[in-house]
Amino acid sequence: MSKKGFLFGLALGGAAIATIAMKMDDDKKSELKAKAQQGLADFKDRAIDYAFYANDAAADFKEEAGKQFEDAKGKVADFADQYQAAKEADGGSFSSSLDQATDSLRSELAKVEDDQGDEDDDILIDSAAAFGTDEATTTASEAPAQADEQPASASDDQESVADQADDQPAK
């Protein structure tokens, strides 16, 4: 619908302009033609000006990007020189200084562990006592032993239930 409406409006506008142009005298036609040519020339001039503006902006951007790149390249080179000088001043490599730092950290941790001693400040929660059940309480050392005694699979469970059924006398 919009294409048909646009084409209809374009045709109607063209017909109206043609009708007006036919009814104008020669002086008005030449004046209208001169204004149209002047408008077209102004449009071309503006387009050329904007093209020059865009070209200047692109050149400025390229120049600024080049400066920024050179600055960054210089900073990286300076950092590399500083690193190399520090490396030569230490007389060792980066890995040896890393090893030294690791060893000092290990010795600090050993000191802290020795200072703490064997104090057992762990908090143990007894679920049977907390919930008021009559089952025997288990300590933290017994809990792993009980976990190891659990059957490994469902088939082991079924075998133990079948063994218990065989042991009970029939009624």
Side-chain angles (χ1 to χ4, degrees), residues 24-33:
M24 281 188 196
D25 57 354
D26 290 336
D27 290 336
K28 292 271 187 179
K29 284 182 185 179
S30 63
E31 190 178 315
L32 184 62
K33 188 175 182 182

Side-chain angles (χ1 to χ4, degrees), residues 58-76:
D60 291 344
F61 176 75
K62 186 176 178 182
E63 182 180 333
E64 185 63 30
K67 287 179 184 178
Q68 293 292 331
F69 178 73
E70 289 299 321
D71 289 344
K73 195 164 103 173
K75 287 179 182 179
V76 168

Side-chain angles (χ1 to χ4, degrees), residues 16-154:
I17 290 174
T19 304
I20 292 173
M22 293 275 193
K23 291 186 178 183
M24 281 188 196
D25 57 354
D26 290 336
D27 290 336
K28 292 271 187 179
K29 284 182 185 179
S30 63
E31 190 178 315
L32 184 62
K33 188 175 182 182
K35 284 183 180 180
Q37 287 176 348
Q38 183 62 35
L40 186 60
D42 289 344
F43 178 75
K44 286 180 183 178
D45 288 342
R46 272 193 229 127
I48 290 171
D49 289 343
Y50 285 130
F52 283 135
Y53 293 150
N55 192 20
D56 289 343
D60 291 344
F61 176 75
K62 186 176 178 182
E63 182 180 333
E64 185 63 30
K67 287 179 184 178
Q68 293 292 331
F69 178 73
E70 289 299 321
D71 289 344
K73 195 164 103 173
K75 287 179 182 179
V76 168
D78 290 344
F79 180 74
D81 291 342
Q82 289 174 358
Y83 175 74
Q84 190 66 26
K87 184 177 174 184
E88 290 171 1
D90 282 345
S93 67
F94 177 73
S95 62
S96 66
S97 65
L98 182 62
D99 290 339
Q100 291 171 354
T102 305
D103 290 340
S104 68
L105 184 60
R106 283 187 182 140
S107 65
E108 292 275 337
L109 285 174
K111 287 180 188 177
V112 169
E113 287 176 357
D114 290 341
D115 291 344
Q116 285 183 352
D118 290 333
E119 297 174 9
D120 193 16
D121 292 337
D122 293 340
I123 298 173
L124 300 176
I125 299 174
D126 186 10
S127 62
F131 294 112
T133 59
D134 291 336
E135 296 177 12
T137 59
T138 59
T139 62
S141 61
E142 293 175 22
Q146 290 177 352
D148 292 339
E149 293 174 3
Q150 292 179 354
S153 67

